[in-house]
Amino acid sequence: NRVLLGRQIAIADYVNGDPALPLYTRADGFQDSGNVSSDGKTGDGKLRFWAWDGFSATNLNKLLSKSSDPADYGVVPAVHLDLKEIPASGSGVIKMVVTVLEGDDNSLQAGERAVSSEANLNWSSDGTTFTVTVPETASTTMTLITRDNVAFSGTYGNSNADSYGYAGGQIMTGTAGGTGITYKMWRIFGGHHDLENLYTGGLGEFFEPNRRYTASVDVQFVSGDNLTWSMDDRFEYSYIDENGDLQEESGGAVKTVGVQKLRFKFGTYNDNEVTREETYRKGEYREGLQLADMGSYTQSGGQMVDQNGVALGKGDVANAALAKLERPEDSLRNARYRMPENEWDSRSVSWGIRTGELAPASELANLECRKNGLAEEYDNHPVYGRSSDIKRYCSYKMWEDVNVKYNIMLETRPNYEVIYANVVDTNAVLGEVVQIDEPKTMYFEVPTTTDASGDYLYGKDQGKRVRLEFNGHGNLYGIPGFVYDTATGEDLGEFVNQWKDTYRYLSRFVMQDGSEIEDGIDSTIKYKVKALDGEEWLTPADGSITGVADLRGQYTSLYDGDEGDLVPNRKMRPLGYEDWNGDGVNDNDRYIGDEPTPTVNNGETAVVHGEVIYDPTP
């Protein structure tokens, strides 16, 4: 027969001995020098469970109480251990001895107390379920050793058969497919009232809050089938040899003697430390909402509509006021609103108001709150309690399991839409919103063309594949460039740390009209480019360029002057200006009149860099 522990453990304690105040905790088994493998054969050979908050000192003392009122007996804490297998069919009697010592050292020191209880227990198994009971009229022995090292002993009987342990059901933590044994810790301590001499020694006040204790459980074979808790060669175990001596081993051959010893350390807590009273205001947010409490939004007709059919928006008055502000976020910087669930949480409206994370209906199942224990209950809610009869949804699942999320924001800056004012496109409808295409990625293969001397016309960029971005008519970005200092004629490279007024950013090459660029998605689609505007660089007339005369000294104000030769700003007077329609505007007494009608070349340039473009001579 064999019972091997799995890796899960769950504890059900009861605050203040009240069955309506369970305190559930869960732990995993592991080893100090490595994780426990599925066969338990890794690590240092010792299976350990680090667990829970401890036990209620009040509840444990109630178990030891002499009260004849069952309401004061307390509730026996239950430890639920995951099992690897259940003993084969059989039955018998085992002797179980439970001992509790003060302290962590597993030995009774001077000034420490100890209490011990023992009883013969009946066990039975059909291979599927395994039970241990404290039988009716069982003789139970209890011993108390005081801090003065005085021993008090007594015996008492159990008037009714009582369950001590049960195996075959699902473990309390709700582990899928797991089976476990429920061990009612200190059941043989509870429900008695005939040990007056032990109460004289302080049995009813044995446990103190916030104190450490060490407990051990010895199981010894008495009669019937030999119940063996076999441990493989990587577990620590102990047993009583044929001479009655305790033997403790780790590793080696498997032992099949009918005795085992379980030892663990635990702490106690004050009930006030794990209970609290909270007051909730109506409308205050609490995690775990039902669907009926949750808001929803739907996109309809270009607007976001809430569950009441109201479209989200700032309103006509606010929109009109915000449209008049150049920087509305600056004007609203000190305007704040308070969050309803936290009076100390106020937020600025300078940039707008947003909903936070939203999940689409398709993700609703992933928002359901976690469930706890074998009963599959939710965390407590002030209105709904723990029941999972109606689904509840938790925001923390938004960050754990939800894959698609949205948020809605009402911005303070006005939003503008481009609509068709007159229909040019045959597919457009007057008054409809213009659908603006996203920027397109393009690629340009830089030519490897050379001039007469063999130099590449496109310099170091020749042969490269350049990624460009087309943002609409007249906007093609991505041609590599450099920073040029017009004051010194120096090429400063692609980047500078501080910009100056004399700097210009120039393209390293000019795409010739008719150059082809390739669509970034479909390489079979080609586009041709044409320059819409450009810039001309004046040729230096200082004798450095062959064929261009040296004009220095001939035009003093242009080539030999300095900033001091310019007309001071204070003496400059506006002479009128031209409005958007091209008409002259007379706004001062020095207005020079409307622009004259051109008589030469229809107003176009007639001479460029000394070259006569238009000769008016008949």
Coordinates of all heavy atoms in Angstrom, one line a residue, residues 21 271-280 286 380 382:
L21 N -16.0 32.3 8.8 CA -14.8 33.1 8.5 C -13.6 32.2 8.2 O -12.6 32.2 8.8 CB -14.4 34.0 9.7 CG -15.4 35.1 10.1 CD1 -15.0 35.9 11.3 CD2 -15.6 36.1 8.9
D271 N -6.5 37.3 15.7 CA -7.6 37.4 14.7 C -7.8 38.8 14.2 O -8.2 39.0 13.1 CB -8.9 37.0 15.4 CG -8.8 35.5 15.8 OD1 -8.9 34.6 14.9 OD2 -8.6 35.2 17.0
N272 N -7.5 39.8 15.0 CA -7.6 41.2 14.6 C -6.7 41.6 13.4 O -7.0 42.6 12.7 CB -7.4 42.2 15.8 CG -8.4 42.0 16.9 OD1 -9.6 41.6 16.6 ND2 -8.0 42.3 18.1
E273 N -5.7 40.8 13.2 CA -4.7 41.1 12.2 C -5.2 40.7 10.8 O -4.7 41.1 9.8 CB -3.4 40.5 12.5 CG -2.7 41.0 13.8 CD -1.4 40.2 14.1 OE1 -1.2 39.2 13.4 OE2 -0.8 40.6 15.1
V274 N -6.1 39.8 10.8 CA -6.6 39.2 9.5 C -8.0 39.6 9.2 O -8.6 39.2 8.2 CB -6.4 37.7 9.4 CG1 -4.9 37.3 9.5 CG2 -7.2 37.0 10.5
T275 N -8.7 40.3 10.1 CA -10.0 40.8 9.8 C -10.1 42.3 9.9 O -9.3 42.9 10.6 CB -11.0 40.2 10.9 OG1 -10.6 40.6 12.2 CG2 -11.1 38.7 10.8
R276 N -10.9 42.9 9.1 CA -11.1 44.3 9.1 C -12.5 44.6 8.7 O -13.2 43.8 8.1 CB -10.1 45.0 8.2 CG -10.3 44.7 6.7 CD -9.3 45.4 5.9 NE -9.5 45.2 4.5 CZ -9.0 44.1 3.8 NH1 -8.3 43.2 4.4 NH2 -9.3 44.0 2.5
E277 N -13.0 45.8 9.0 CA -14.3 46.2 8.7 C -14.2 47.4 7.7 O -13.4 48.3 7.9 CB -15.1 46.7 9.9 CG -16.5 47.0 9.6 CD -17.3 47.3 10.9 OE1 -17.4 46.5 11.8 OE2 -17.8 48.5 11.0
E278 N -14.9 47.3 6.6 CA -14.8 48.3 5.5 C -16.2 48.9 5.2 O -17.2 48.2 5.3 CB -14.2 47.8 4.3 CG -12.7 47.3 4.4 CD -12.2 46.8 3.1 OE1 -12.9 46.8 2.1 OE2 -11.0 46.5 3.1
T279 N -16.2 50.2 4.9 CA -17.5 50.8 4.5 C -17.4 51.2 3.1 O -16.4 51.8 2.7 CB -17.7 52.1 5.4 OG1 -17.8 51.7 6.8 CG2 -19.0 52.7 5.0
Y280 N -18.4 50.9 2.3 CA -18.4 51.2 0.9 C -19.5 52.2 0.6 O -20.6 52.0 1.1 CB -18.6 49.9 0.1 CG -17.6 48.8 0.3 CD1 -17.9 47.7 1.1 CD2 -16.3 48.9 -0.1 CE1 -17.0 46.7 1.4 CE2 -15.3 47.9 0.1 CZ -15.7 46.8 0.9 OH -14.8 45.9 1.2
R286 N -15.7 48.6 -7.2 CA -15.2 47.5 -6.6 C -14.9 46.4 -7.7 O -15.7 46.3 -8.7 CB -16.1 46.9 -5.6 CG -16.3 47.7 -4.4 CD -15.0 47.9 -3.5 NE -14.6 46.6 -3.0 CZ -13.5 46.5 -2.3 NH1 -12.7 47.5 -2.0 NH2 -13.2 45.3 -1.8
N380 N -14.4 38.1 -2.6 CA -15.6 38.7 -2.0 C -15.9 40.1 -2.6 O -15.0 40.8 -2.9 CB -15.4 38.8 -0.5 CG -16.7 39.1 0.2 OD1 -17.8 38.6 0.0 ND2 -16.6 40.1 1.1
P382 N -18.8 43.4 -1.9 CA -19.7 43.9 -0.9 C -21.2 43.7 -1.2 O -22.0 43.7 -0.4 CB -19.4 45.4 -0.7 CG -18.6 45.7 -2.0 CD -17.9 44.5 -2.4

